[in-house]
Amino acid sequence: MNWQQALSDSFTSPEALLAHLDLDPQLGSRVAESLFPFRVTRCYADRMTRGDASDPLLRQVLPLRDEHDAGIQRYATEDPVGDLLAVRGGGILHKYQGRVLVLATGSCAIHCRYCFRRNFAYAEHQFSRSAMAGNLRFLDEHPETEEVILSGGDPLTLSDQRLSELLQALDRRPQIRRLRIHSRFPMILPERITPELLSLLASLRVPLTWVLHANHPQEIDAATLEALQCLRRSGVQLLNQSVLLKGVNDHPDVLASLSRILFDEGGVLPYYLHQLDQVRGGMHFLVDDDAALAIHAELQRQLPGYLVPRLVREIAGQPCKTPLADVSTFG
């Protein structure tokens, strides 16, 4: 089965996934599912523990009543990181000096319930093929831009041909010195890391960094590690960012184990540990700031400094990510 077939074979209803896991199909919420649709790949689901309703991977994807509980969600917003303020034409976000983010697609292979773009209007703000020339003009008009970040959605849902067109168009611009891809595919569909994709990545002029998004060591298996090793052999720098999630990874031992397995077996350096972006529908994952700081302090005690991700919050309108220690506790 190729990666496109594996992707199309994903679970697209909570009931089907829960039945696969020998769990009560009523655990999910149809109302929550209507607010943000459900999708999870089978290989990711196969890492979940059957019969365990609190499995940390299941918790990341299962629609729950908490998502539409007005009390739980009262401090949430539709656009918690200020993406709409940063839109500079179709599919381009410009927040930080010298860097541009490209929303390559609105599609993902997995729908994480805490996603900060779960309410984003991709139909209005997407880097479409038909508008690519006009969108790339922004880069030509801003020669100070040194780095382009491909995000979404997940850019690896694009076909190799479409991804090649986009990467090579960026690679041809002489001011671009770094390219970055943000993608969960090595964890959620490692079959996507094909020889053809690796050849494309190795052919680029500029250095490429791949930022993974692993939240829990249970997400890492032999197929994931093989995909990561293939990327490294192709000259790709690997980093990982996680989101601190209540009931998933809000314990220093879990995060320490994640850093160790990613670095020791996958050659991946920890990058960021994000405090939750307070998006409408995701607030049941929130870990309060004092607890987050205590978890991070314990990580610093357990790990060498280069294996400790930076604990940060993204604040709309700010010129960079903000270390959590510098931010007053939210109400």
Side-chain angles (χ1 to χ4, degrees), residues 129-162:
R129 172 181 273 165
S130 61
M132 187 165 76
N135 293 340
L136 289 170
R137 193 174 303 121
F138 179 90
L139 299 178
D140 297 331
E141 293 170 353
H142 291 80
E144 73 279 7
T145 302
E146 296 184 341
E147 182 173 12
V148 176
I149 303 160
L150 298 192
S151 184
D154 193 309
L156 268 292
T157 59
L158 298 174
S159 67
D160 282 350
Q161 180 179 351
R162 178 72 182 95

Side-chain angles (χ1 to χ4, degrees), residues 67-315:
E67 294 182 35
H68 50 89
D69 183 303
I72 294 173
Q73 304 297 328
R74 65 188 180 276
Y75 295 119
T77 65
E78 296 287 314
D79 181 27
V81 300
D83 277 346
L84 293 178
L85 298 173
V87 170
R88 301 292 183 269
I92 287 181
L93 303 184
H94 191 199
K95 291 185 180 182
Y96 303 140
Q97 183 175 341
R99 284 159 284 169
V100 161
L101 187 142
V102 170
L103 294 173
T105 175
S107 298
C108 278
I110 188 170
H111 291 173
C112 305
R113 308 309 297 181
Y114 54 86
C115 177
F116 67 91
R117 290 200 181 110
R118 56 179 285 164
N119 305 307
F120 190 77
Y122 285 105
E124 301 172 22
H125 307 289
Q126 189 171 316
F127 201 89
S128 67
R129 172 181 273 165
S130 61
M132 187 165 76
N135 293 340
L136 289 170
R137 193 174 303 121
F138 179 90
L139 299 178
D140 297 331
E141 293 170 353
H142 291 80
E144 73 279 7
T145 302
E146 296 184 341
E147 182 173 12
V148 176
I149 303 160
L150 298 192
S151 184
D154 193 309
L156 268 292
T157 59
L158 298 174
S159 67
D160 282 350
Q161 180 179 351
R162 178 72 182 95
L163 191 60
S164 176
E165 291 171 2
L166 180 52
L167 285 171
Q168 290 181 8
L170 296 170
D171 196 44
R172 285 193 294 268
R173 278 155 173 79
Q175 83 269 28
I176 303 301
R177 303 181 65 178
R178 296 175 297 278
L179 286 172
R180 202 190 315 172
I181 290 175
H182 285 210
S183 173
R184 291 202 81 184
F185 263 83
M187 279 75 64
I188 59 173
L189 198 70
E191 299 98 316
R192 179 66 183 95
I193 313 304
T194 62
E196 293 79 13
L197 174 65
L198 295 169
S199 178
L200 167 62
L201 301 181
S203 72
L204 298 173
R205 169 186 61 88
V206 299
L208 178 69
T209 298
W210 190 302
V211 181
L212 309 167
H213 179 177
N215 293 319
H216 194 279
Q218 192 174 317
E219 295 178 336
I220 313 301
D221 65 2
T224 292
L225 293 173
E226 175 61 26
L228 297 178
Q229 290 158 10
C230 287
L231 287 168
R232 289 185 67 206
R233 288 194 293 267
S234 296
V236 177
Q237 173 70 55
L238 300 175
L239 304 176
N240 182 62
Q241 60 181 1
S242 305
V243 180
L244 186 59
L245 301 167
K246 184 177 181 180
V248 174
N249 60 7
D250 53 334
H251 194 285
D253 291 350
V254 172
L255 292 168
S257 178
L258 178 63
S259 284
R260 290 188 183 104
I261 190 172
L262 282 172
F263 183 79
D264 294 345
E265 302 186 42
V268 182
L269 273 171
Y271 177 38
Y272 281 140
L273 176 61
H274 290 271
Q275 182 63 309
L276 184 78
D277 297 316
Q278 299 193 14
V279 65
R280 191 173 309 282
M283 292 294 287
H284 53 296
F285 289 107
L286 183 64
V287 177
D288 72 63
D289 286 0
D290 288 342
L293 288 166
I295 289 168
H296 195 252
E298 180 58 27
L299 273 182
Q300 291 175 306
R301 283 189 283 270
Q302 290 192 26
L303 296 171
Y306 62 90
L307 291 187
V308 180
R310 286 168 283 176
L311 178 62
V312 297
R313 167 176 280 129
E314 183 165 358
I315 301 174

Side-chain angles (χ1 to χ4, degrees), residues 10-27:
S10 297
F11 290 101
T12 55
S13 78
E15 293 84 2
L17 174 63
L18 291 166
H20 175 75
L21 297 172
D22 300 326
L23 289 167
D24 181 355
Q26 302 305 313
L27 285 174

Side-chain angles (χ1 to χ4, degrees), residues 312-330:
V312 297
R313 167 176 280 129
E314 183 165 358
I315 301 174
Q318 292 300 303
C320 60
K321 302 290 192 300
T322 303
L324 192 62
D326 297 341
V327 184
S328 61
T329 302
F330 280 24

